[in-house]
């Protein structure tokens, strides 16, 4: 009998992609996809179970199916459907608590993979240049999805102590982007004009949605020789991009806003339904965040196919040209440079003729 894999958050794009991908693993004989809402995308041959992980019914699903691998992807910054921030927090925190309680009582469970975020490190002016998995956090997130993730990781560590026989992997993802990304940061980059914080140009890291699916697969299956897929791992593409560079590559103009007014701008954007410009995201777009990924490569044994720059390029290509496409801007600059050169040549020619006449 092969592995029986249960995946939460299957109604989201990322969950659906992972469900379809894990079915292609020869050792996996059964995949159970769980979510509170039926997915709009195809789940292949997976069995869909409509269940709320905040309810005890998830324990019955684990027991009846003899699940041995749980991949918990229902930890997100945005609620599913029309629910608000309260629903998202309950699903993230209460749902995780209920799921871990069910896993603790299920003797068949031998592996747990949990989706987390590098937002647990926060974003503050005195942060280190690069965060490792063990870097002490100077300023813990005070709210939003980042605070949820901190609480979730705390419950996961407690579960790991109570069930030392279970291999537990926590994957802290940098900002996830790609053609199908549906994250708050993707919504921000979709704005026709990008509000930025005056005087700040933060460093950002991204991870491609394709790499997210592949690293989840590495963490959910038996480790390759010389690797270990238990522990906490930062996951991000190589390199960094400045916020100003992302705006130029998107062809989006920026509007610098004084820091005290940024919260007001964010409230306007949320009210208009354009993007969830949360306090957590404002801090990221002010101070940035960069993480070290040595553990991901050396211990987990995973190397992303996309760098940070390549991830953003793929995302930008899927969005089409902005108000100021780089090609058009380059053309204007080249034309202006050529015009300046022509004027300079004409002036030099006139000066030479005047000198000859004198």
């Amino acid at each position: 009998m092969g592995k029986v894999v249960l995946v939460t958050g299957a109604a989201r794009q990322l969950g659906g992609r992972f469900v379809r991908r894990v079915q292609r693993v020869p050792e996996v004989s059964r995949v159970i996809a769980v979510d509170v809402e039926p997915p709009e995308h195809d789940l292949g041959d997976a069995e869909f179970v409509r269940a709320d992980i905040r309810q005890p019914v998830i324990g019955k699903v684990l027991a009846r199916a003899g699940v041995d691998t749980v991949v918990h992807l229902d930890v997100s910054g945005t609620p599913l459907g029309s629910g608000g921030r309260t629903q998202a927090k309950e699903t993230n925190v209460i749902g995780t608590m209920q799921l871990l309680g069910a896993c603790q009582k299920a003797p068949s469970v031998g592996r747990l993979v949990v989706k987390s975020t590098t937002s647990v490190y926060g974003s503050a002016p005195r942060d280190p240049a690069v965060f490792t998995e063990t870097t002490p956090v100077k300023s813990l997130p005070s709210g939003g999805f980042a605070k949820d993730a901190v609480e979730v990781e705390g419950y996961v560590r407690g579960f790991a102590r109570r069930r030392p026989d279970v291999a537990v992997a926590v994957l802290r993802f940098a900002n996830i982007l790609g053609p199908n990304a549906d994250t708050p940061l993707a919504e921000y980059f979709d704005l026709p004009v990008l509000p930025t914080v005056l005087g700040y140009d933060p460093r950002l890291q991204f991870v491609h949605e394709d790499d997210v699916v592949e690293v989840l697969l590495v963490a959910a299956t038996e480790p390759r020789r010389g690797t270990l897929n238990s522990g906490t791992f930062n996951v991000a593409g190589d390199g960094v991009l400045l916020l100003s560079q992302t705006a130029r590559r998107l062809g989006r103009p920026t509007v610098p806003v004084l820091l005290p007014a940024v919260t007001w701008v964010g409230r306007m954007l949320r009210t208009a339904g354009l993007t969830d410009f949360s306090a957590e995201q404002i801090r990221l777009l002010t101070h940035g965040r960069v993480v070290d990924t040595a553990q991901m490569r050396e211990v987990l044994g995973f190397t992303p196919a996309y760098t940070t720059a390549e991830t953003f390029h793929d995302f930008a290509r899927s969005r089409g040209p902005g108000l100021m496409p780089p090609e058009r801007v380059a053309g204007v600059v080249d034309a202006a440079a050529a015009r300046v050169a022509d004027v300079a040549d004409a002036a030099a020619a006139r000066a030479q003729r005047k000198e000859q006449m004198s």
Side-chain angles (χ1 to χ4, degrees):
M1 178 66 69
K3 287 182 177 293
V4 180
V5 181
L6 181 140
V7 183
T8 67
R12 299 180 184 273
Q13 288 292 333
L14 178 61
R17 287 196 60 184
F18 180 74
V19 166
R20 294 190 295 273
R21 176 66 181 90
V22 76
Q23 291 174 61
R24 304 203 300 268
V25 177
E27 294 79 12
V28 173
S29 62
R30 186 180 180 188
V31 179
I32 302 171
V34 176
D35 214 316
V36 70
E37 296 289 344
E40 297 180 356
H41 43 257
D42 178 47
L43 294 179
D45 295 328
E47 304 169 37
F48 176 69
V49 176
R50 187 171 184 176
D52 189 339
I53 63 171
R54 294 172 295 178
Q55 304 299 325
V57 67
I58 191 65
K60 297 179 181 179
V61 177
L62 287 172
R64 290 173 182 171
V67 172
D68 52 50
T69 302
V70 176
V71 182
H72 183 30
L73 303 182
D74 206 359
V75 180
S76 176
T78 55
L80 193 63
S82 59
R85 168 63 194 149
T86 301
Q87 178 184 323
K89 180 176 180 61
E90 287 182 357
T91 301
N92 291 340
V93 180
I94 306 301
T96 298
M97 291 175 62
Q98 192 71 248
L99 178 65
L100 294 176
C103 289
Q104 184 176 337
K105 297 175 183 177
S108 61
V109 173
R111 184 170 296 279
L112 171 67
V113 180
V114 179
K115 170 181 172 283
S116 187
T117 170
T118 57
S119 297
V120 297
Y121 299 116
S123 294
R126 297 183 63 187
D127 281 346
V130 180
F131 284 99
T132 69
E133 289 84 350
T134 57
T135 301
V137 178
K138 294 180 181 294
S139 178
L140 283 171
S142 58
F145 174 51
K147 187 172 186 294
D148 293 353
V150 170
E151 294 184 34
V152 165
E153 288 197 12
Y155 293 129
V156 172
R157 286 192 293 271
F159 168 80
R161 289 192 295 269
R162 294 188 297 271
R163 284 290 303 271
D165 58 310
V166 176
V168 179
V170 176
L171 304 181
R172 291 174 176 168
F173 291 106
N175 299 287
I176 300 173
L177 287 182
N180 300 308
D182 57 358
T183 60
L185 192 62
E187 293 177 353
Y188 165 78
F189 284 129
D190 281 337
L191 294 172
V193 178
L194 304 181
T196 61
V197 182
L198 182 65
Y200 293 87
D201 196 8
R203 299 174 303 150
L204 304 174
Q205 275 180 315
F206 307 113
V207 58
H208 197 283
E209 56 192 1
D210 291 352
D211 285 326
V212 172
V213 172
E214 292 304 315
V215 74
L216 285 169
L217 193 68
V218 169
T221 53
E222 291 300 315
R224 299 190 301 272
R225 186 171 182 178
T227 65
L228 178 66
N229 55 4
S230 296
T232 300
F233 303 96
N234 293 329
V235 181
D238 284 348
V240 300
L241 282 177
L242 298 176
L243 180 58
S244 59
Q245 292 176 307
T246 64
R248 287 196 296 270
R249 296 181 187 203
L250 280 170
R252 303 280 199 273
T254 60
V255 178
V257 180
L258 289 171
L259 186 56
V262 172
T263 302
W264 176 75
V265 172
R267 190 180 301 115
M268 287 183 56
L269 293 173
R270 284 197 301 274
T271 302
L274 297 175
T275 181
D276 182 16
F277 207 61
S278 63
E280 166 197 336
Q281 187 162 302
I282 291 172
R283 285 190 289 270
L284 174 67
L285 298 178
T286 304
H287 306 294
R289 185 188 310 115
V290 177
V291 298
D292 178 82
T293 57
Q295 291 287 99
M296 174 192 73
R297 296 173 179 279
E298 299 168 7
V299 179
L300 186 60
F302 178 76
T303 300
Y306 293 81
T307 65
T308 285
E310 290 168 344
T311 296
F312 196 81
H313 174 73
D314 198 35
F315 168 78
R317 184 174 53 185
S318 71
R319 262 47 187 182
L323 297 175
M324 299 171 59
E327 297 81 5
R328 184 183 303 171
V329 173
V332 171
V333 171
D334 290 344
R339 178 61 179 162
V340 169
D342 291 341
V343 171
D345 290 343
R350 287 195 300 271
Q352 186 177 13
R353 286 196 299 270
K354 184 176 181 181
E355 183 180 348
Q356 290 173 348
M357 292 175 62
S358 61

